[in-house]
Amino acid sequence: MNIGHISLENTLFVAPMAGVTDRPFRQLCKTLGAGYAVSEMVTSRRDLWNTLKTSRRANHEGETGPIAVQIAGTDATMMAEAAAYNIDRGAQIIDINMGCPAKKVCNKWAGSALMQDEALALRIVEAVVAACAPRKVPVTLKMRTGWCHSHKNAVTLARAAESAGVQMFTVHGRTREQGYGGQAEYDTIAAVKAAVRVPVVANGDINSPQKAREVLALTGADALMIGRAAQGRPWIFREVAHFLATGAILAPPLVAEVKRLLLAHLQDHYALYGEFSGVRTARKHIGWYVKALPGGDEFRARMNLLDDCHDQAAAVADFLDQLGERMDRMPAAMPDGLTNRDEEQMELTA
Ligand SMILES: Cc1cc2nc3c(=O)[nH]c(=O)nc-3n(C[C@H](O)[C@H](O)[C@H](O)COP(=O)(O)O)c2cc1C
């Protein structure tokens, strides 16, 4: 599959998740079978570009391409400037966020709130495409099915945005009003797929290889995007790829492999965030890895008290060594983790 002139390794994507899909996590997912990852959103507010948070988000050192950066904002000129700023820092694809329901974003009329004002949404698309086209950078758009149940305008918006030059759409099968509640629906994604010629990516509640196959069949989408189910389970991408290719379920990873992956992920994480922030922000990732494991809750409680990177990594290694004595492989079915926890976290991080 291609996004504009850029071809992708495969059609399994990591969803952008603010506070989660930083460079170390994206790179880990790519190593484990994801063909494409979008960065956490970067604000279009110039006054925030020099903050540590935004400059970390705009750091792509050592990341396997293509580098895709998501931008969020409400003003067409500022969004065009944000696109140019990120292209200068290595972005090869610019994704416009019209899917994020976080209050922090929507109160400022960005994210999925833009779906309520199609004229403004289009002005933003046109301005961003105008900034990206001369640099040969494709523009993509991530949206929800609409604002609310009675106003599902994903198809209308996609048609207009395609005419304005958008080269790929990702649709999360929920309205803004739904937040993360209820279940994703796939009919609207199928309708978007039928309405445009550029690739369409289906997103929402894909948490197993079987669900991935079902969503592909229901939507006819060109690619699938997985978010929450990859938290603590980044190997889901190779599991899905294997199932789609062969129809067989891949054995869960060996505990020894997870130990190696997790320790490498932690080192990469500490290197990006430094000791103080690194040890704290790593806790959520470790928590996701261990939450379904025997003794995982107790371990998480103990681990949250450690505030030194070396001690944290050593505790993780010990925990997984002990687990390895009881079982060779990770448990087959991890809980999908699609809970309100994510919405809380989203409010905190986005
Ligand atoms: C913690 C968190 C942060 C998110 N941040 C973003 C974001 O920055 N940009 C965006 O477009 N979507 C964001 N999302 C939405 C996801 O990209 C995705 O559309 C949603 O989680 C549905 O996919 P899933 O069911 O596979 O998780 C976020 C979701 C979560 C849980």
Side-chain angles (χ1 to χ4, degrees):
M1 183 185 136
N2 276 23
I3 303 176
H5 63 282
I6 297 175
S7 60
L8 305 180
E9 282 281 308
N10 68 39
T11 53
L12 299 175
F13 297 2
V14 190
M17 290 183 283
V20 181
T21 49
D22 51 17
R23 176 171 49 78
F25 188 74
R26 294 197 298 275
Q27 188 55 33
L28 177 67
C29 293
K30 286 177 175 175
T31 309
L32 286 166
Y36 183 65
V38 185
S39 74
E40 311 160 271
M41 69 189 152
V42 173
T43 173
S44 62
R45 280 181 51 191
R46 187 183 275 275
D47 56 317
L48 297 177
W49 289 346
N50 284 330
T51 62
L52 194 54
K53 181 168 163 186
T54 300
S55 55
R56 273 197 196 115
R57 287 187 180 185
N59 172 336
H60 305 287
E61 273 165 37
E63 186 172 353
T64 310
I67 307 295
V69 172
Q70 186 183 69
I71 55 174
T74 56
D75 178 272
T77 307
M78 284 164 70
M79 286 287 273
E81 285 170 4
Y85 171 85
N86 282 288
I87 293 169
D88 289 344
R89 276 151 194 80
Q92 296 164 299
I93 295 170
I94 292 290
D95 186 51
I96 300 175
N97 179 341
M98 287 190 197
C100 179
K103 288 203 181 71
K104 218 168 142 188
V105 174
C106 283
N107 283 349
K108 294 183 193 130
W109 202 246
S112 53
L114 279 176
M115 294 190 75
Q116 235 185 359
D117 185 342
E118 286 170 23
L120 174 60
L122 266 186
R123 280 202 300 281
I124 289 177
V125 167
E126 284 163 1
V128 172
V129 169
C132 293
R135 296 155 180 248
K136 304 208 173 352
V137 169
V139 175
T140 62
L141 185 63
K142 181 161 177 288
M143 57 171 144
R144 289 189 165 228
T145 53
W147 176 256
C148 61
H149 185 70
S150 57
H151 191 61
K152 286 192 182 171
N153 59 342
V155 170
T156 316
L157 194 57
R159 280 210 183 101
E162 182 182 36
S163 302
V166 166
Q167 310 223 29
M168 182 183 80
F169 295 95
T170 301
V171 187
H172 174 191
R174 285 186 174 84
T175 60
R176 193 271 165 198
E177 187 183 57
Q178 277 179 285
Y180 287 85
Q183 290 188 333
E185 57 91 2
Y186 304 108
D187 290 351
T188 308
I189 305 180
V192 172
K193 169 63 193 161
V196 298
R197 275 182 300 186
V198 295
V200 172
V201 186
N203 169 239
D205 297 355
I206 301 169
N207 54 15
S208 68
Q210 294 88 338
K211 184 73 181 268
R213 186 167 68 183
E214 189 189 321
V215 173
L216 269 184
L218 288 171
T219 59
D222 302 278
L224 298 175
M225 177 178 275
I226 300 179
R228 290 164 294 172
Q231 295 174 348
R233 193 182 157 198
W235 49 88
I236 190 171
F237 297 100
R238 75 178 180 200
E239 293 178 342
V240 170
H242 184 80
F243 185 70
L244 294 180
T246 66
I249 294 286
L250 195 65
L254 291 165
V255 173
E257 185 191 9
V258 172
K259 176 184 166 192
R260 182 176 56 74
L261 290 171
L262 177 48
L263 292 180
H265 179 196
L266 287 178
Q267 291 314 321
D268 211 7
H269 187 94
Y270 302 149
L272 180 64
Y273 292 98
E275 169 96 24
F276 183 84
S277 290
V279 71
R280 286 164 179 78
T281 50
R283 288 175 186 153
K284 62 176 176 267
H285 288 280
I286 298 170
W288 289 325
Y289 282 101
V290 304
K291 75 176 180 206
L293 298 175
D297 285 344
E298 298 78 20
F299 174 72
R300 192 159 50 170
R302 259 189 299 121
M303 182 267 307
N304 280 343
L305 300 174
L306 302 175
D307 53 15
D308 173 278
C309 293
H310 181 265
D311 293 349
Q312 188 181 56
V316 168
D318 278 354
F319 176 75
L320 290 172
D321 281 342
Q322 284 171 30
L323 187 76
E325 285 167 17
R326 297 163 66 179
M327 52 179 79
D328 275 350
R329 291 189 180 273
M330 299 292 277
M334 306 276 277
D336 58 36
L338 305 184
T339 64
N340 292 338
R341 172 180 62 81
D342 295 304
E343 192 154 15
E344 283 157 24
Q345 185 201 345
M346 162 110 226
E347 294 293 336
L348 290 173
T349 55

